[in-house]
Amino acid sequence: METQGNTSGSASGNRVLPSIVYKLMIVAATVIWGLSFVVMKDAVDVLPPSYLIGVRFLSCGLILAVIFFKKLRAHFDRGHIVNGCFLGLLIFLAFWIQTIGLTDTTPGKNAFLTATYCVLVPFIWWFIARKRPTVYNIAAAVLCIAGVGLVSLQGSFSMRFGDYMTLLCALVFAVHIVYVAKLSEGRDILVLTVWQFLFGGVCGMAVGACFEAFPPVEVLFDPAFLFNMAYLVIFASCVALVFQNVALAHVPPAQGSLFLSLESVFGVLFSVSLYGEELTFKLVAGFCLIFVAILVSEMFPLKGKKQLAEEPAGEAPPIEELRDYEAREFGDGGVRAAARAEE
């Protein structure tokens, strides 16, 4: 099986890689974001949230526009621009609402409630793409949320305004994940990503100009702040978010959201290794539950597919049934696999 998801790679002329490569790209992105919890913890103290998001995304968009200039010119059309800007609005709202929520809740609860997008993604994908989640999708999502809860939560779980805002941000993140997969069909995901960052950056700067005070220019040239911004722009955005978008164009959203939940695991691991946080049994149990959730999402649908495709001769299901199963489990990419099985 070469890829799972939509046909964006072939439609845009890009080379389609094996599915495992796209999943490893998501894992790499979560490693980068996990380290960003440690590296970037002071950036928001210098630059207000909207300006921080604006500078981050706008800088990233300009860098990527230079790198992928030929692609931008080749796909300079209304479809790429409008859909890319729509993704930019979603990603800006998600980060902005998350930052607002963080001001009135603990980082652990913020991480846990944000991770509830794992549960939301299969149902939003069902609503938007009419592709029903399987029992394995739902079971894996529940296991993942339980694991993130063990990793992130401490003390009581009373709900505050910040907690409700964080739940709202999880909903927007889930919608963004689904629409990256949906809108990349037949389009170049790298071009969509460039427009996403440019428009998301413009949104951040506009909101910042309306509601926030820009800090004195001299504090922006502090070496520590510049290092933080360099990491945030180059690694956490240009690399990690590009990895995420490219991978989500080829990995089913329900599976992709589970891999993205590894961000909380790596965040804790870096905190343990760099800041001496205690590695408790509760943390280890949480890691194990998240790992089991990913195994469930990976192995059980594949097992069902294998059983369906390898029934004894004379009892084999019609190829239309195999195609329906592939489409339900893996999207349009699975239909291509079923077509190969027919041959």
Side-chain angles (χ1 to χ4, degrees):
M1 182 174 58
E2 289 191 355
T3 183
Q4 302 170 355
N6 58 50
T7 59
S8 61
S10 58
S12 61
N14 294 330
R15 179 185 177 187
V16 178
L17 301 173
S19 175
I20 185 64
V21 175
Y22 296 110
K23 293 169 185 176
L24 289 176
M25 289 173 69
I26 297 179
V27 174
T30 63
V31 172
I32 294 172
W33 291 326
L35 182 57
S36 72
F37 283 121
V38 176
V39 175
M40 299 305 304
K41 62 185 179 66
D42 295 326
V44 75
D45 293 334
V46 177
L47 205 57
S50 297
Y51 276 124
L52 182 62
I53 296 171
V55 171
R56 171 185 176 179
F57 285 175
L58 199 56
S59 300
C60 178
L62 292 173
I63 292 171
L64 293 178
V66 173
I67 296 174
F68 300 116
F69 178 74
K70 290 184 179 180
K71 284 181 173 289
L72 276 175
R73 186 170 58 182
H75 298 284
F76 192 79
D77 56 70
R78 184 176 181 274
H80 279 86
I81 295 173
V82 172
N83 288 298
C85 289
F86 176 68
L87 293 177
L89 176 63
L90 288 176
I91 198 68
F92 164 73
L93 288 174
F95 277 93
W96 184 54
I97 296 170
Q98 183 185 40
T99 304
I100 294 174
L102 188 57
T103 62
D104 191 47
T105 189
T106 64
K109 288 173 69 176
N110 185 265
F112 170 71
L113 292 172
T114 299
T116 56
Y117 65 71
C118 296
V119 174
L120 299 173
V121 163
F123 296 99
I124 296 176
W125 183 241
W126 185 12
F127 178 77
I128 292 176
R130 298 295 187 266
K131 295 179 181 178
R132 187 176 59 186
T134 68
V135 65
Y136 304 115
N137 295 145
I138 299 171
V142 172
L143 284 172
C144 182
I145 290 299
V148 173
L150 289 175
V151 170
S152 304
L153 292 179
Q154 296 178 357
S156 64
F157 194 74
S158 58
M159 296 291 287
R160 299 167 55 92
F161 170 77
D163 300 320
Y164 291 110
M165 293 301 292
T166 305
L167 282 174
L168 178 59
C169 103
L171 174 62
V172 181
F173 271 123
V175 173
H176 178 262
I177 289 171
V178 167
Y179 269 108
V180 168
K182 182 67 176 175
L183 297 181
S184 62
E185 295 176 354
R187 301 183 181 91
D188 192 304
I189 187 59
L190 292 174
V191 175
L192 289 175
T193 301
V194 173
W195 286 112
Q196 168 190 280
F197 281 127
L198 290 175
F199 190 74
V202 169
C203 290
M205 298 301 288
V207 172
C210 293
F211 302 106
E212 297 173 350
F214 198 80
V217 176
E218 56 269 18
V219 304
L220 302 181
F221 290 94
D222 177 74
F225 175 75
L226 290 176
F227 173 81
N228 288 340
M229 288 305 301
Y231 184 88
L232 190 60
V233 171
I234 296 173
F235 292 102
S237 298
C238 287
V239 176
L241 280 169
V242 169
F243 276 10
Q244 172 195 277
N245 277 13
V246 171
L248 288 176
H250 297 87
V251 175
Q255 283 189 343
S257 65
L258 291 175
F259 279 93
L260 286 170
S261 71
L262 289 172
E263 178 183 353
S264 63
V265 173
F266 289 115
V268 172
L269 289 178
F270 281 120
S271 182
V272 168
S273 60
L274 298 178
Y275 279 86
E277 181 177 335
E278 183 182 359
L279 186 61
T280 64
F281 174 78
K282 179 167 165 282
L283 291 177
V284 174
F287 296 162
C288 291
L289 278 177
I290 294 172
F291 182 68
V292 169
I294 291 174
L295 288 181
V296 169
S297 76
E298 285 289 290
M299 297 178 65
F300 281 87
L302 293 178
K303 181 179 179 182
K305 171 194 167 185
K306 184 177 179 181
Q307 291 173 343
L308 183 62
E310 295 183 358
E311 290 192 11
E315 299 180 12
I319 195 64
E320 289 78 9
E321 184 177 350
L322 180 58
R323 280 176 174 163
D324 289 343
Y325 182 89
E326 291 274 3
R328 185 173 67 253
E329 294 289 351
F330 304 117
D332 297 335
V335 177
R336 296 199 302 277
R340 290 197 296 271
E342 182 179 18
E343 297 171 358

